[in-house]
Coordinates of all heavy atoms in Angstrom, one line a residue:
L229 N -68.4 226.5 29.4 CA -69.4 226.9 28.5 C -69.7 225.7 27.5 O -70.8 225.6 27.0 CB -69.1 228.2 27.7 CG -69.1 229.4 28.6 CD1 -68.5 230.6 27.7 CD2 -70.4 229.7 29.1
G230 N -68.7 225.0 27.2 CA -68.9 223.8 26.3 C -69.9 222.8 26.8 O -70.7 222.3 25.9
Y231 N -70.0 222.6 28.1 CA -71.0 221.6 28.6 C -72.4 222.2 28.4 O -73.3 221.4 28.1 CB -70.7 221.3 30.0 CG -69.4 220.5 30.3 CD1 -68.4 221.0 30.9 CD2 -69.3 219.2 29.7 CE1 -67.2 220.3 31.2 CE2 -68.2 218.5 29.9 CZ -67.1 219.0 30.6 OH -66.0 218.3 30.8
F232 N -72.5 223.5 28.6 CA -73.8 224.1 28.4 C -74.3 224.0 27.0 O -75.4 223.7 26.7 CB -73.8 225.5 28.9 CG -73.8 225.7 30.4 CD1 -72.6 226.0 31.1 CD2 -75.0 225.5 31.2 CE1 -72.6 226.1 32.5 CE2 -74.9 225.6 32.6 CZ -73.8 225.9 33.2
R233 N -73.3 224.3 26.1 CA -73.6 224.2 24.7 C -74.0 222.8 24.2 O -74.9 222.6 23.5 CB -72.4 224.7 23.9 CG -72.6 225.1 22.5 CD -71.5 225.8 21.8 NE -70.1 225.5 22.3 CZ -69.4 226.5 22.9 NH1 -69.8 227.7 23.1 NH2 -68.2 226.2 23.4
Q234 N -73.3 221.8 24.8 CA -73.6 220.4 24.4 C -75.0 220.0 25.0 O -75.7 219.3 24.3 CB -72.5 219.5 25.0 CG -71.3 219.4 24.3 CD -70.3 218.4 24.9 OE1 -70.2 218.3 26.2 NE2 -69.5 217.8 24.1
A235 N -75.3 220.5 26.2 CA -76.6 220.1 26.7 C -77.7 220.7 25.9 O -78.7 220.1 25.6 CB -76.7 220.7 28.2
L236 N -77.5 222.0 25.5 CA -78.5 222.6 24.7 C -78.6 221.9 23.3 O -79.8 221.7 22.8 CB -78.2 224.1 24.5 CG -79.1 224.9 23.7 CD1 -80.5 224.9 24.3 CD2 -78.7 226.4 23.6
A237 N -77.5 221.5 22.7 CA -77.6 220.8 21.4 C -78.3 219.5 21.6 O -79.0 219.1 20.6 CB -76.2 220.7 20.9
S238 N -78.1 218.8 22.7 CA -78.8 217.5 22.9 C -80.2 217.6 23.3 O -81.0 216.7 23.1 CB -78.0 216.7 23.9 OG -78.2 217.2 25.2
G239 N -80.6 218.8 23.8 CA -82.0 218.9 24.3 C -82.5 220.3 24.0 O -82.8 221.0 25.0
P240 N -82.6 220.7 22.8 CA -83.0 222.1 22.5 C -84.4 222.5 22.9 O -84.7 223.7 22.9 CB -82.9 222.2 21.0 CG -83.0 220.8 20.5 CD -82.4 219.9 21.6
T241 N -85.2 221.5 23.3 CA -86.6 221.9 23.8 C -86.6 222.0 25.4 O -87.6 222.4 25.9 CB -87.6 220.8 23.4 OG1 -87.2 219.5 24.0 CG2 -87.7 220.7 21.9
Q242 N -85.4 221.8 26.0 CA -85.4 221.9 27.5 C -85.1 223.3 27.9 O -84.0 223.9 27.7 CB -84.2 221.0 28.0 CG -84.5 219.5 27.7 CD -85.7 219.0 28.6 OE1 -85.8 219.3 29.7 NE2 -86.5 218.2 27.9
E243 N -86.1 224.0 28.5 CA -85.9 225.4 28.9 C -84.7 225.6 29.8 O -83.9 226.5 29.7 CB -87.1 225.9 29.6 CG -87.0 227.3 30.1 CD -88.2 227.8 30.9 OE1 -88.3 227.4 32.1 OE2 -89.1 228.5 30.3
R244 N -84.5 224.6 30.7 CA -83.4 224.8 31.7 C -82.0 224.8 31.0 O -81.1 225.4 31.5 CB -83.4 223.8 32.8 CG -83.2 222.4 32.3 CD -83.4 221.4 33.5 NE -83.3 220.1 32.9 CZ -82.8 219.0 33.6 NH1 -82.4 219.2 34.8 NH2 -82.7 217.9 33.1
Y245 N -81.9 224.1 29.8 CA -80.6 224.1 29.1 C -80.4 225.5 28.5 O -79.3 226.0 28.5 CB -80.6 223.1 28.0 CG -80.6 221.7 28.5 CD1 -80.9 220.6 27.6 CD2 -80.4 221.3 29.8 CE1 -80.9 219.3 28.1 CE2 -80.5 220.0 30.3 CZ -80.7 219.0 29.4 OH -80.7 217.7 29.8
W246 N -81.4 226.1 28.0 CA -81.3 227.5 27.5 C -81.0 228.4 28.6 O -80.0 229.3 28.5 CB -82.6 227.9 26.8 CG -82.9 227.3 25.5 CD1 -83.7 226.2 25.3 CD2 -82.5 227.8 24.2 NE1 -83.7 225.9 23.9 CE2 -83.0 226.9 23.3 CE3 -81.7 228.8 23.8 CZ2 -82.8 227.0 21.9 CZ3 -81.5 229.0 22.5 CH2 -82.0 228.1 21.5
L247 N -81.7 228.3 29.7 CA -81.4 229.2 30.9 C -80.0 229.1 31.4 O -79.3 230.1 31.6 CB -82.4 228.9 32.0 CG -83.9 229.2 31.8 CD1 -84.7 228.7 32.9 CD2 -84.1 230.7 31.6
G248 N -79.5 227.8 31.5 CA -78.2 227.6 32.0 C -77.1 228.2 31.1 O -76.2 228.8 31.5
Y249 N -77.3 228.0 29.8 CA -76.3 228.4 28.8 C -76.3 230.0 28.8 O -75.2 230.6 28.9 CB -76.6 227.9 27.4 CG -75.5 228.2 26.4 CD1 -74.2 228.2 26.7 CD2 -75.9 228.4 25.1 CE1 -73.2 228.4 25.8 CE2 -74.9 228.7 24.1 CZ -73.6 228.7 24.5 OH -72.6 229.0 23.5
I250 N -77.4 230.6 28.8 CA -77.5 232.1 28.8 C -76.9 232.6 30.1 O -76.1 233.6 30.0 CB -79.0 232.5 28.6 CG1 -79.4 232.1 27.2 CG2 -79.1 234.0 28.8 CD1 -81.0 232.2 27.0
A251 N -77.3 232.1 31.2 CA -76.7 232.5 32.5 C -75.2 232.3 32.5 O -74.5 233.2 33.0 CB -77.4 231.8 33.6
A252 N -74.7 231.2 32.1 CA -73.3 230.9 32.1 C -72.5 231.9 31.2 O -71.5 232.4 31.6 CB -73.0 229.5 31.6
L253 N -73.1 232.2 30.0 CA -72.5 233.2 29.2 C -72.4 234.6 29.9 O -71.3 235.2 29.9 CB -73.3 233.4 27.9 CG -73.1 232.3 26.8 CD1 -74.2 232.4 25.8 CD2 -71.7 232.3 26.2
K254 N -73.5 235.0 30.5 CA -73.5 236.3 31.2 C -72.5 236.3 32.3 O -71.7 237.2 32.5 CB -74.9 236.5 31.7 CG -75.0 237.5 32.9 CD -74.7 238.9 32.4 CE -75.1 239.9 33.6 NZ -74.6 241.2 33.5
L255 N -72.5 235.2 33.1 CA -71.6 235.2 34.3 C -70.1 235.1 33.9 O -69.2 235.5 34.6 CB -71.9 234.0 35.2 CG -73.3 234.2 35.9 CD1 -73.7 232.9 36.6 CD2 -73.3 235.3 36.9
A256 N -69.9 234.6 32.6 CA -68.5 234.5 32.1 C -68.1 235.8 31.4 O -67.0 235.9 30.9 CB -68.4 233.4 31.2
G257 N -69.0 236.8 31.4 CA -68.6 238.1 30.9 C -68.9 238.2 29.4 O -68.4 239.1 28.7
H258 N -69.8 237.3 28.9 CA -70.1 237.3 27.4 C -71.6 237.8 27.2 O -72.4 237.1 26.6 CB -69.9 235.9 26.8 CG -68.5 235.4 27.0 ND1 -67.5 235.9 26.3 CD2 -68.0 234.4 27.8 CE1 -66.4 235.2 26.6 NE2 -66.7 234.3 27.5
E259 N -71.9 239.0 27.7 CA -73.2 239.4 27.7 C -73.8 239.5 26.3 O -74.9 239.2 26.0 CB -73.4 240.8 28.4 CG -74.9 241.2 28.5 CD -75.1 242.4 29.4 OE1 -74.4 242.5 30.4 OE2 -75.9 243.2 29.0
P260 N -73.0 240.1 25.3 CA -73.6 240.1 23.9 C -74.0 238.7 23.4 O -75.0 238.6 22.8 CB -72.5 240.7 23.1 CG -71.7 241.5 24.1 CD -71.7 240.7 25.3
A261 N -73.2 237.7 23.7 CA -73.5 236.4 23.2 C -74.7 235.8 24.0 O -75.5 235.2 23.4 CB -72.3 235.4 23.5
A262 N -74.8 236.2 25.3 CA -76.0 235.8 26.1 C -77.2 236.3 25.5 O -78.3 235.6 25.4 CB -75.8 236.2 27.5
R263 N -77.2 237.6 25.1 CA -78.4 238.2 24.5 C -78.7 237.6 23.1 O -79.9 237.4 22.8 CB -78.1 239.7 24.2 CG -78.1 240.5 25.5 CD -78.1 242.0 25.3 NE -78.4 242.7 26.5 CZ -79.5 242.7 27.1 NH1 -80.6 242.1 26.6 NH2 -79.6 243.4 28.3
D264 N -77.7 237.2 22.3 CA -77.9 236.5 21.0 C -78.5 235.2 21.3 O -79.5 234.8 20.5 CB -76.6 236.4 20.3 CG -76.0 237.7 19.8 OD1 -76.7 238.7 19.8 OD2 -74.8 237.7 19.4
V265 N -78.1 234.4 22.2 CA -78.6 233.1 22.5 C -80.1 233.2 23.0 O -80.9 232.5 22.7 CB -77.8 232.3 23.5 CG1 -78.4 231.0 23.9 CG2 -76.4 232.0 22.9
L266 N -80.3 234.3 23.9 CA -81.7 234.5 24.3 C -82.6 234.8 23.2 O -83.7 234.3 23.1 CB -81.7 235.7 25.3 CG -83.0 236.0 25.9 CD1 -83.7 234.9 26.6 CD2 -82.9 237.2 26.8
E267 N -82.2 235.6 22.2 CA -83.0 236.0 21.1 C -83.2 234.7 20.2 O -84.3 234.5 19.8 CB -82.3 237.0 20.2 CG -83.1 237.5 19.0 CD -84.5 238.1 19.4 OE1 -84.6 238.6 20.5 OE2 -85.4 237.9 18.5
L268 N -82.2 233.9 20.0 CA -82.4 232.6 19.3 C -83.4 231.7 20.0 O -84.3 231.1 19.4 CB -81.0 231.9 19.2 CG -81.1 230.6 18.4 CD1 -81.5 230.7 17.0 CD2 -79.7 230.0 18.5
G269 N -83.3 231.7 21.3 CA -84.2 230.9 22.1 C -85.7 231.4 21.9 O -86.6 230.6 21.8
R270 N -85.8 232.7 22.0 CA -87.2 233.2 21.8 C -87.7 232.9 20.4 O -88.9 232.5 20.2 CB -87.2 234.7 22.0 CG -87.1 235.1 23.4 CD -87.5 236.6 23.6 NE -87.5 237.0 24.9 CZ -88.5 236.8 25.8 NH1 -89.5 236.1 25.5 NH2 -88.4 237.2 27.1
K271 N -86.9 232.9 19.4 CA -87.3 232.5 18.0 C -87.7 231.0 18.0 O -88.5 230.6 17.1 CB -86.2 232.8 17.0 CG -86.0 234.3 16.8 CD -84.9 234.6 15.8 CE -84.8 236.1 15.6 NZ -83.7 236.4 14.7
Q272 N -87.1 230.2 18.8 CA -87.4 228.8 18.9 C -88.6 228.5 19.8 O -88.9 227.4 20.0 CB -86.2 228.0 19.4 CG -84.9 228.1 18.6 CD -85.1 227.4 17.3 OE1 -85.7 226.4 17.2 NE2 -84.5 228.0 16.2
G273 N -89.2 229.6 20.3 CA -90.4 229.4 21.1 C -90.2 229.5 22.6 O -91.2 229.3 23.4
L274 N -89.1 229.9 23.0 CA -88.8 230.0 24.5 C -89.6 231.2 25.0 O -89.5 232.3 24.4 CB -87.3 230.2 24.6 CG -86.6 229.9 25.9 CD1 -86.8 228.4 26.3 CD2 -85.1 230.2 25.8
S275 N -90.3 231.0 26.1 CA -91.1 232.1 26.7 C -91.4 231.7 28.1 O -91.0 230.6 28.6 CB -92.4 232.3 25.9 OG -93.2 231.1 26.0
G276 N -92.0 232.6 28.8 CA -92.4 232.4 30.2 C -91.7 233.3 31.2 O -90.8 234.1 30.8
A277 N -92.1 233.1 32.4 CA -91.6 234.0 33.5 C -90.1 233.9 33.7 O -89.4 234.9 33.9 CB -92.3 233.7 34.8
S278 N -89.5 232.7 33.6 CA -88.1 232.5 33.8 C -87.3 233.2 32.7 O -86.3 233.8 33.0 CB -87.7 231.0 33.8 OG -88.3 230.4 34.9
I279 N -87.8 233.2 31.5 CA -87.1 233.8 30.4 C -87.2 235.3 30.6 O -86.2 236.0 30.4 CB -87.7 233.4 29.1 CG1 -87.6 231.8 28.9 CG2 -87.0 234.1 27.9 CD1 -86.2 231.3 29.1
S280 N -88.3 235.8 30.9 CA -88.5 237.3 31.1 C -87.6 237.8 32.3 O -87.0 238.8 32.2 CB -89.9 237.6 31.4 OG -90.8 237.3 30.3
S281 N -87.5 237.0 33.3 CA -86.7 237.3 34.5 C -85.2 237.3 34.1 O -84.4 238.3 34.4 CB -86.9 236.3 35.6 OG -86.1 236.6 36.7
L282 N -84.8 236.4 33.3 CA -83.4 236.3 32.8 C -83.1 237.5 31.9 O -82.1 238.1 32.0 CB -83.1 235.0 32.1 CG -81.7 234.7 31.6 CD1 -80.8 234.6 32.8 CD2 -81.7 233.4 30.9
E283 N -84.0 237.8 31.0 CA -83.9 238.9 30.1 C -83.7 240.3 30.9 O -82.8 241.1 30.5 CB -85.0 239.0 29.2 CG -84.9 240.1 28.1 CD -86.1 240.0 27.1 OE1 -87.2 239.9 27.5 OE2 -85.8 240.1 25.9
A284 N -84.4 240.4 31.9 CA -84.3 241.6 32.7 C -83.0 241.7 33.5 O -82.4 242.7 33.8 CB -85.5 241.7 33.7
W285 N -82.5 240.5 33.9 CA -81.2 240.4 34.6 C -80.0 240.7 33.8 O -79.0 241.1 34.3 CB -81.2 239.0 35.2 CG -79.9 238.6 35.9 CD1 -79.4 239.1 37.1 CD2 -78.9 237.7 35.4 NE1 -78.2 238.5 37.4 CE2 -77.9 237.6 36.3 CE3 -78.8 236.9 34.3 CZ2 -76.8 236.8 36.2 CZ3 -77.7 236.1 34.1 CH2 -76.7 236.0 35.1
L286 N -80.0 240.4 32.5 CA -78.8 240.4 31.7 C -78.1 241.8 31.8 O -76.9 241.7 31.9 CB -79.2 240.1 30.2 CG -79.3 238.7 29.9 CD1 -79.7 238.5 28.4 CD2 -78.0 237.9 30.1
P287 N -78.7 242.9 31.7 CA -77.9 244.2 31.8 C -77.5 244.5 33.2 O -76.7 245.5 33.4 CB -78.9 245.2 31.2 CG -80.2 244.7 31.5 CD -80.1 243.2 31.4
Q288 N -77.9 243.8 34.2 CA -77.5 244.1 35.6 C -76.4 243.3 36.1 O -76.1 242.2 35.6 CB -78.7 243.8 36.5 CG -79.9 244.6 36.1 CD -81.2 244.2 36.9 OE1 -81.0 243.4 37.9 NE2 -82.3 244.6 36.5
V289 N -75.7 243.8 37.1 CA -74.7 243.0 37.8 C -75.1 243.0 39.2 O -75.0 244.0 39.9 CB -73.3 243.7 37.6 CG1 -72.2 242.9 38.4 CG2 -72.9 243.8 36.2
E290 N -75.5 241.8 39.6 CA -76.0 241.7 41.0 C -75.2 240.6 41.7 O -75.7 239.6 42.1 CB -77.5 241.3 41.0 CG -78.4 242.4 40.5 CD -79.8 242.1 40.7 OE1 -80.2 241.2 41.5 OE2 -80.6 242.7 40.0
H291 N -73.9 240.8 41.8 CA -73.0 239.9 42.5 C -73.0 238.5 41.9 O -72.8 237.5 42.6 CB -73.2 239.9 44.0 CG -73.3 241.3 44.6 ND1 -72.1 242.0 44.7 CD2 -74.3 242.0 45.1 CE1 -72.5 243.2 45.2 NE2 -73.8 243.2 45.5
G292 N -73.4 238.4 40.6 CA -73.4 237.1 40.0 C -74.6 236.2 40.3 O -74.7 235.1 39.9
L293 N -75.5 236.7 41.2 CA -76.7 235.9 41.6 C -77.8 235.9 40.5 O -78.0 236.9 39.9 CB -77.3 236.4 42.9 CG -76.4 236.4 44.1 CD1 -77.0 237.0 45.3 CD2 -75.9 234.9 44.4
L294 N -78.3 234.7 40.3 CA -79.4 234.6 39.3 C -80.7 235.1 39.9 O -80.9 235.0 41.1 CB -79.5 233.1 38.9 CG -78.4 232.4 38.2 CD1 -78.6 230.9 38.1 CD2 -78.2 233.0 36.9
P295 N -81.6 235.5 39.0 CA -82.9 235.9 39.4 C -83.6 234.6 40.0 O -83.3 233.5 39.6 CB -83.7 236.3 38.2 CG -82.6 236.6 37.2 CD -81.4 235.7 37.5
A296 N -84.5 234.8 41.0 CA -85.1 233.7 41.8 C -85.8 232.7 40.8 O -85.7 231.5 41.0 CB -86.1 234.3 42.8
R297 N -86.5 233.2 39.8 CA -87.2 232.3 38.9 C -86.3 231.5 38.1 O -86.5 230.3 37.8 CB -88.1 233.1 38.0 CG -89.4 233.6 38.6 CD -90.3 234.3 37.6 NE -91.5 234.6 38.3 CZ -92.2 235.7 38.0 NH1 -91.7 236.6 37.2 NH2 -93.3 236.0 38.6
V298 N -85.2 232.1 37.7 CA -84.2 231.3 36.9 C -83.5 230.3 37.8 O -83.3 229.2 37.4 CB -83.2 232.3 36.3 CG1 -82.1 231.5 35.5 CG2 -83.9 233.2 35.3
H299 N -83.1 230.7 39.0 CA -82.5 229.8 40.0 C -83.4 228.6 40.2 O -83.0 227.4 40.1 CB -82.2 230.5 41.3 CG -81.6 229.6 42.3 ND1 -80.3 229.4 42.4 CD2 -82.2 228.9 43.3 CE1 -80.0 228.5 43.4 NE2 -81.2 228.2 43.9
A300 N -84.7 228.8 40.4 CA -85.7 227.7 40.6 C -85.8 226.8 39.4 O -85.9 225.6 39.6 CB -87.0 228.3 41.0
A301 N -85.8 227.4 38.2 CA -85.9 226.6 37.0 C -84.6 225.7 36.8 O -84.7 224.6 36.3 CB -86.2 227.5 35.8
L302 N -83.5 226.3 37.1 CA -82.2 225.6 36.8 C -81.9 224.6 37.9 O -81.4 223.5 37.7 CB -81.1 226.6 36.7 CG -81.0 227.4 35.5 CD1 -79.9 228.4 35.6 CD2 -80.7 226.5 34.3
L303 N -82.2 225.0 39.2 CA -81.8 224.1 40.3 C -83.0 223.9 41.2 O -83.1 224.3 42.4 CB -80.7 224.9 41.1 CG -79.5 225.3 40.3 CD1 -78.6 226.3 41.1 CD2 -78.7 224.0 39.9
P304 N -84.0 223.1 40.7 CA -85.2 222.9 41.6 C -84.8 222.2 42.9 O -84.0 221.3 42.9 CB -86.1 222.0 40.7 CG -85.2 221.5 39.6 CD -84.0 222.4 39.5
G305 N -85.4 222.7 43.9 CA -85.1 222.1 45.2 C -83.9 222.6 46.0 O -83.7 222.3 47.1
M306 N -83.0 223.3 45.3 CA -81.8 223.9 45.9 C -82.1 225.3 46.5 O -82.8 226.0 45.8 CB -80.7 224.0 44.9 CG -80.2 222.7 44.3 SD -79.4 221.7 45.5 CE -77.9 222.6 45.8
P307 N -81.6 225.5 47.6 CA -81.9 226.9 48.2 C -81.2 228.0 47.4 O -80.2 227.8 46.8 CB -81.2 226.8 49.6 CG -80.3 225.6 49.5 CD -80.8 224.7 48.5
D308 N -81.9 229.1 47.3 CA -81.4 230.2 46.6 C -80.4 231.0 47.5 O -80.8 231.4 48.6 CB -82.6 231.2 46.3 CG -82.2 232.3 45.4 OD1 -81.0 232.6 45.2 OD2 -83.1 233.0 44.8
P309 N -79.2 231.1 47.1 CA -78.2 231.8 47.9 C -78.5 233.3 48.2 O -77.9 233.8 49.1 CB -76.9 231.6 47.1 CG -77.3 231.4 45.7 CD -78.6 230.7 45.8
A310 N -79.4 233.9 47.4 CA -79.7 235.3 47.6 C -80.6 235.4 48.8 O -80.8 236.5 49.4 CB -80.4 235.8 46.4
N311 N -81.2 234.4 49.3 CA -82.1 234.4 50.5 C -81.5 233.9 51.7 O -80.7 233.1 51.8 CB -83.4 233.7 50.2 CG -84.2 234.3 49.1 OD1 -84.2 235.5 48.9 ND2 -84.9 233.5 48.3

């Protein structure tokens, strides 16, 4: 999680850093913190389909797989393991 936090601190305008940190928090079992970071991101102007998709995913447990939009934003060009 430290690397994600560092990336976000060095590039707070990078949507993928927000997405990565929030997803990492959720996957590490820190859902309340993930929600707090998501809310902070929204206050900083974070918006869009990837953010909405991540927000909808937070309360769910889907074998750890990221929503397709979030996967595409974080890992462009990489195949989605859910497909």
Side-chain angles (χ1 to χ4, degrees):
L229 291 174
Y231 292 115
F232 287 102
R233 196 172 23 251
Q234 282 181 323
L236 182 56
S238 70
T241 61
Q242 297 291 317
E243 179 183 78
R244 66 186 176 146
Y245 295 167
W246 286 95
L247 292 172
Y249 187 37
I250 294 165
L253 285 166
K254 161 68 173 167
L255 293 171
H258 303 289
E259 188 173 321
R263 290 190 170 286
D264 290 346
V265 173
L266 178 61
E267 182 60 29
L268 178 62
R270 285 200 178 276
K271 289 179 181 177
Q272 298 290 324
L274 204 58
S275 65
S278 295
I279 300 305
S280 296
S281 182
L282 186 62
E283 185 173 45
W285 170 73
L286 279 174
Q288 301 172 10
V289 177
E290 294 186 19
H291 309 292
L293 297 176
L294 295 172
R297 285 186 174 138
V298 176
H299 178 85
L302 287 174
L303 304 165
M306 296 292 292
D308 186 346
N311 294 325

